[in-house]
Every structure is written in C-alpha cells, then in structure tokens.
C-alpha cells in the first residue's frame, strides 16, 4: 500500500494554492483576445478586420444599393457603392442591410480571388478530438431531386457517402474565442464537455459533377452554452473539407457544386426574400429552377456575405491550391413548399453554389437566368 505523508500533503496543498494564485493572476492580467491578434494564431484565414485592411475600402458615405447594377467587366473585387442608384421599392432598413452585406461580400470576393491560402492543416487527429463520425444512408428530399436531375448530379446510393459528424464527445483544447490565459491552460489539462455541434452532409465524388450537399449543420460555436469552450476544429468549412478530402482523395480538387438544403438562418432567408422582390417572411415563392446570380451583381455579393455564403467563401479561399487555382462561385436560389403537414405554409429555402474558374468566360449578367444555366 502506498501512503501519502502529512508533510507531502502540506507541500501538495501549498503547490495547489500557488498554482491557483498564478492562474487567478493571469486570468485578469492577460485576456486571450490579445493573443489572438498575434500573426499566425488565426487558423481559418485572416480575421475579418485584416481582410478589410487589405481589401479595397468601400465608401463610408450612406448610399443606396441597386439590384440591377452589374459590376465592371473583369473586376470581381472592386465595387463602387457611391455610384449605385437608389434602391427602388425598399424600406430604409432593407436598403441599409443590403448595402452592408454588399460591402462585406466585396471583401470576401477579394479573399477568394487574391489572398493566398492561410489555412491550418487539419488532420484525422483533430477529428478524433471530440467528434464522432457515422455513415448513414442518403435519402435526398423530393425538393432537391429536380435540381440533382437537371444538373446531372449522381445521387443513387452507390454514388453518395452520407456522414453524420457530431461534436458529442469530450475534447481538449479550445477554439478561437475571447478566452483568458487561464482558460487555455485549463482546457489543455482537462477534458471539456461536448457542445452538441452537428454537421450532416452528403458527399458525391463524381468528376466534374462532384458535389457536397449540406443537409443539417449547426456549428459548435452556436450550439455551445454561453461561456462554454469550443474545440479549435469547429468550423463547417474545415470539418466538411477534411471529410471531403478523405472521401474524394485525388478527386477532391474537382468539387463543383455545394448545395445547401432547408436553410433556416433568419438572415440568409431575409436576404433571399429581399433580392427576390420583397416576399414576406418565410413566403418566398421561387420554385425550381429558381434564379441564378453572378457574384459581380449586387445580389450575388449580398448572398456571399450571408452566413451560408461565408462558409463557402472560406472553403474556396482556404483550398484554392487543391481546387486548381482561384475560383469564384455563382449562386442559385430557389424554394419549395414544406411537405410537413403542420408547416405547409412555410417555404423551404435552398442555395446551390457553382465553383467556376476565375479565368472562365464571364457569365451573362441577365437577372432572369435560372439554375438550369449552371448545367
């Protein structure tokens, strides 16, 4: 039997007290936000304020935004908001929202088309730190079957790998949030409780029709309780890209479509409603084949700056080397009536992003183009 002497217990108590005092001191002296500003700490590309400094600065003047104003030829990264005419039939709140999103969308375009990849290389070890992965059967909804058929995307069982990736296990380490130094130390010494984040996606490695279908995605950052730590490996674009590369392997660079199903995020739905003619909340009647927008349009830039567009932008920017050069997406939107009996009046919203070569011939900016024009 091993015993602990009384002197050893006293020494241990003094050590614990000393360690606690040091952690307490560091907690109030050094917030992690100061560390996060150091070059190289950001693991998902440059922080947004750094992109703002690098990108062409939009005018700070309060101006309105037009939905029919194309951008300059061969100029995907520059928008002159001061020259845009007034937004017809829109209230001031919607006008201001779209204006702000267009300015942000211009920054993300600059990131996609100009910035070199600045990603952290994530590995299976990161996925094993708190994440579970389950293979499930892919059951495409009736609402996206017309899109899959018209775009010639294979969707039979043998063509698709459907993974449910859940952050439902304890993990060590923490993500890019405003923690203190003491939090960092504690996160490395002790397991952290799961956040409940969910990334359920279908992966179709099919040559020039290779597709990721995002069905049910809730980030650990948004599922975590207030003040709860999140893993460093938590972003949709990072987790899903790692899964994609493991499935597609040497064909990972052929990714062509990203389909986002059943969009529930209020901001994304509102932007889709505004740019499509001002439909009421959850009432955008825009069935397949919907509408297709180039990113040189105001609509395209506003959609890119939504939460759903930002994830796509980071995935493209972070992996441009694998994707075979700079890409920029065209985006298609459409809706379908909900088939759940008690939600019949609610419309389901969908986006399809097509990854196009930045050097490709320009897309006709005709606003009446439909999603079938992607094919």
């Amino acid at each position: 039997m091993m015993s602990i002497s009384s002197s050893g217990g006293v020494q241990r108590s003094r050590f614990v007290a000393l360690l606690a005092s040091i952690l307490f001191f560091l907690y109030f002296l050094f917030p992690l936000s100061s560390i996060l500003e150091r070059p190289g700490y950001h693991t998902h590309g440059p922080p947004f304020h750094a992109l703002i400094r690098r990108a062409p600065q939009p005018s700070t003047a309060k101006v309105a935004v037009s939905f029919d104003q194309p951008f300059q030829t061969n100029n995907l990264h520059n928008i002159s908001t001061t020259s845009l005419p007034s937004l017809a039939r829109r209230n001031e709140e919607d006008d201001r929202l779209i204006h702000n999103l267009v300015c942000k969308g211009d920054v993300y375009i600059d990131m996609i088309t100009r910035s070199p990849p600045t990603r952290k290389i994530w590995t299976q070890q990161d996925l094993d730190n708190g994440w579970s992965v389950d293979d499930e059967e892919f059951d495409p909804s009736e609402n996206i079957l017309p899109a899959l058929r018209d775009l010639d995307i294979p969707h039979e069982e043998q063509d698709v790998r459907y993974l449910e990736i859940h952050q439902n296990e304890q993990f060590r380490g923490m993500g890019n949030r405003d923690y203190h130094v003491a939090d960092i130390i504690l996160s490395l010494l002790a397991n952290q409780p799961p956040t409940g984040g969910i990334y359920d996606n279908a992966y179709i490695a099919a040559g020039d029709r290779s597709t990721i279908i995002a069905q049910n995605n809730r980030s650990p950052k948004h599922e975590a309780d207030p003040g709860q730590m999140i893993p460093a490996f938590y972003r949709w674009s990072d987790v899903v890209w790692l899964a994609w590369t493991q499935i597609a392997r040497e064909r990972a660079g052929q990714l062509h479509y990203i389909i986002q199903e059943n969009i529930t995020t209020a901001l994304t739905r509102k932007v889709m409603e505004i740019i499509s003619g001002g439909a009421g909340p959850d009432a955008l009647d825009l069935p397949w084949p919907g509408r297709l927008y180039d990113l040189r349009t105001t609509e395209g830039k506003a959609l890119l700056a939504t939460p759903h567009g930002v994830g796509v932008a980071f995935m493209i920017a972070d992996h441009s080397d694998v994707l075979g050069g700079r890409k920029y997406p065209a985006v298609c939107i459409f809706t379908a009536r909900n088939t759940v009996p008690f939600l019949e009046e609610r419309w389901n919203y969908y986006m399809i992003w097509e990854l196009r070569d930045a050097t490709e011939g320009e897309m006709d900016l005709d606003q009446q183009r439909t999603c079938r024009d992607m094919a």
Side-chain angles (χ1 to χ4, degrees), residues 209-257:
R209 296 299 173 191
S210 292
T211 303
I212 295 174
I213 302 177
Q215 282 200 328
N216 182 25
N217 293 274
R218 300 196 296 272
S219 167
K221 183 176 181 179
H222 294 94
E223 293 299 298
D225 295 330
Q228 182 180 356
M229 292 185 182
I230 60 175
F233 181 58
Y234 76 91
R235 295 180 177 86
W236 174 86
S237 57
D238 290 331
V239 176
V240 171
W241 179 262
L242 178 61
W244 169 247
T245 56
Q246 293 182 348
I247 292 171
R249 297 184 181 276
E250 68 276 0
R251 295 177 291 175
Q254 296 177 324
L255 179 62
H256 192 68
Y257 295 115

Side-chain angles (χ1 to χ4, degrees), residues 84-146:
L84 298 178
S86 178
L87 187 62
R89 298 185 300 279
R90 296 284 168 242
N91 59 50
E92 183 177 352
E93 180 182 353
D94 290 349
D95 187 353
R96 184 166 54 251
L97 170 64
I98 297 301
H99 167 73
N100 292 337
L101 289 174
V102 167
C103 293
K104 291 180 180 179
D106 185 53
V107 173
Y108 290 120
I109 283 291
D110 184 80
M111 179 182 72
I112 290 173
T113 58
R114 286 186 172 188
S115 305
T118 56
R119 68 183 184 278
K120 173 181 170 63
I121 303 299
W122 302 103
T123 67
Q124 181 65 38
Q125 183 177 356
D126 298 297
L127 190 61
D128 292 338
N129 182 24
W131 295 85
S132 67
V133 181
D134 295 308
D135 268 288
E136 299 292 342
E137 182 179 349
F138 176 58
D139 183 21
S141 68
E142 293 183 3
N143 292 337
I144 69 164
L145 284 176

